[in-house]
Amino acid sequence: MSRTFRLSNGDEIPALGLGTWKSEPGEVGAALREAIGAGYRHIDCAAIYMNEREVGQAIAGAIAEGDVRREDLWITSKLWNCNHLAADVRPGLEQTLADLGLDYLDLYLIHWPVAFKPGVTFPRQPEEYLSPDEAPIAQTWSEMEKAVDDGLCRNIGLSNFSEAKCRAVVDGARIAPTVNQVELHPILAQPDLLASCADMGIHLTAHSPLGSGDRPDVMKRSDEPQPMEHRVVHAIADRNQASPAQVLIAWAIQRGTSVIPKSVNPERIRQNMAASEITLSDIDMAEINALDRAERIMLADFFCPPGSPYTVEWMWA
Ligand code: A2P
């Protein structure tokens, strides 16, 4: 049994999961089967990754062939931004369940604190956004709670939510969020968010733990953090006979966050799983903790064009 973290409701989330953002249809299914064979029991999905059907087929195949049982898997998915209005939450979840071929999720997250008009996959015009007043997150949350009541998901949570935005949900919640999934790596370690979410009973999952270097070029900046390239990470990797990616994964788990590195490469999928067995020394941890520059890869500026109700400052405030 691989390592887990206990959530505020007693459920246990596996520390290491397979990320599936940017895993193309045609490759994600094979990656998933490889991962399950290598011992992964946590799969991180989302409707917007446009690959949930193939993920679902791979899960079904793994179960049918006896590689794993459903109850031993932890499946996370996420509500896309065009499904925030009360009437649209349940259809979004039901589509994901149908695509994944599941009758429940272990965890369902609100993907971003940003809302689009129904049916808009990605806005091309500012009018295609809904402001926080037009799509209050409390109403979205209330529908998420009903999905728990109805057994469609066991945990509900947030993704890309700042401390203040988490607090607002917690204060109005009947069923508390158990997880917030955010960008976390040594250059954006977010120690304050980690501590304040712990106070609120919210576990953090680290997305983009390796720097998300395979994002489309339009989403990249020349000065963005590249944790896997950092010389200190390389030095610690050499000291531990590990790869830089393994150091980043081991650091994430050792500081108490679950972590979801994406890979579609069989050797790297296995290598990343093996990282959960690595124990870094206190000195290694301190040297990595000292790399924090509070610099984001994902500013979310793509949701903030002129005329959008959102700004980068609002997003992370
Ligand atoms: P690939 O899928 O070809 O393995 P993140 O999880 O931060 O989004 O980063 C994903 C990127 O990191 C992908 O380009 C992925 O490539 C690459 N990657 C995943 N695991 C490793 C590893 N162990 N060593 C080097 N690169 C890796």
Side-chain angles (χ1 to χ4, degrees):
M1 179 71 177
S2 55
R3 175 144 183 220
T4 61
F5 291 110
R6 189 174 290 272
L7 303 178
S8 59
N9 62 2
D11 283 359
E12 294 200 25
I13 185 170
L16 181 75
L18 181 73
T20 64
W21 179 36
K22 308 175 260 77
S23 301
E24 301 292 333
E27 57 183 19
V28 70
L32 203 118
R33 292 298 297 269
E34 185 71 37
I36 289 175
Y40 288 65
R41 293 294 176 264
H42 170 175
I43 315 293
D44 184 76
C45 313
I48 195 60
Y49 302 162
M50 308 283 187
N51 57 15
E52 287 195 320
R53 206 171 292 177
E54 185 170 327
V55 170
Q57 287 163 357
I59 293 172
I63 292 173
E65 290 172 30
D67 294 351
V68 72
R69 300 177 304 171
R70 169 65 186 100
E71 57 268 37
D72 295 329
L73 287 173
W74 178 282
I75 312 288
T76 298
S77 186
K78 312 186 191 84
L79 180 79
W80 187 233
N81 307 350
C82 60
N83 287 79
H84 278 211
L85 292 178
D88 301 319
V89 174
R90 181 64 67 98
L93 172 53
E94 285 175 346
Q95 184 64 54
T96 273
L97 286 170
D99 287 345
L100 290 172
L102 301 176
D103 50 18
Y104 72 91
L105 294 174
D106 297 276
L107 174 62
Y108 198 45
L109 305 175
I110 299 180
H111 204 148
W112 287 92
V114 164
F116 306 158
K117 286 194 171 155
V120 174
T121 304
F122 210 99
R124 293 169 194 272
Q125 313 290 338
E127 309 77 63
E128 292 180 313
Y129 289 87
L130 292 173
S131 71
D133 288 340
E134 292 170 312
I137 220 67
Q139 288 179 16
T140 311
W141 190 254
S142 158
E143 296 303 315
M144 302 281 285
E145 290 172 330
K146 289 179 197 163
V148 177
D149 294 337
D150 295 341
L152 299 186
C153 43
R154 304 219 162 144
N155 286 264
I156 46 178
L158 308 166
S159 181
N160 302 300
F161 273 53
S162 66
E163 175 187 344
K165 288 181 178 63
C166 289
R167 178 73 65 191
V169 172
V170 166
D171 285 349
R174 177 170 63 80
I175 301 175
T178 54
V179 172
N180 185 21
Q181 182 183 121
V182 294
E183 179 185 333
L184 287 174
H185 45 71
I187 321 296
L188 181 74
Q190 308 212 61
D192 295 344
L193 184 69
L194 186 59
S196 57
C197 278
D199 281 348
M200 289 185 261
I202 298 175
H203 168 82
L204 293 190
T205 298
H207 79 58
S208 309
L210 308 180
S212 194
D214 55 346
R215 276 168 309 128
D217 285 344
V218 293
M219 293 180 76
K220 288 188 174 175
R221 304 184 315 278
S222 56
D223 60 344
E224 70 183 25
Q226 297 190 343
M228 216 160 26
E229 310 306 326
H230 202 288
R231 65 178 173 74
V232 170
V233 173
H234 277 252
I236 294 171
D238 290 345
R239 287 211 291 265
N240 287 275
Q241 288 93 46
S243 72
Q246 287 181 311
V247 168
L248 296 173
I249 293 165
W251 169 80
I253 295 174
Q254 224 163 303
R255 72 198 290 255
T257 63
S258 48
V259 58
I260 49 167
K262 171 265 175 184
S263 181
V264 291
N265 174 287
E267 196 270 325
R268 290 192 284 272
I269 287 170
R270 289 193 295 273
Q271 184 194 117
N272 296 348
M273 180 41 114
S276 55
E277 306 298 324
I278 295 171
T279 303
L280 298 171
S281 70
D282 291 347
I283 293 172
D284 294 337
M285 289 298 286
E287 285 184 13
I288 302 171
N289 289 337
L291 301 181
D292 187 15
R293 296 286 175 275
E295 283 177 12
R296 289 177 192 282
I297 294 171
M298 211 98 60
L299 289 171
D301 48 346
F302 38 80
F303 296 139
C304 311
S308 152
Y310 301 99
T311 62
V312 170
E313 294 70 35
W314 176 88
M315 198 77 64
W316 307 116

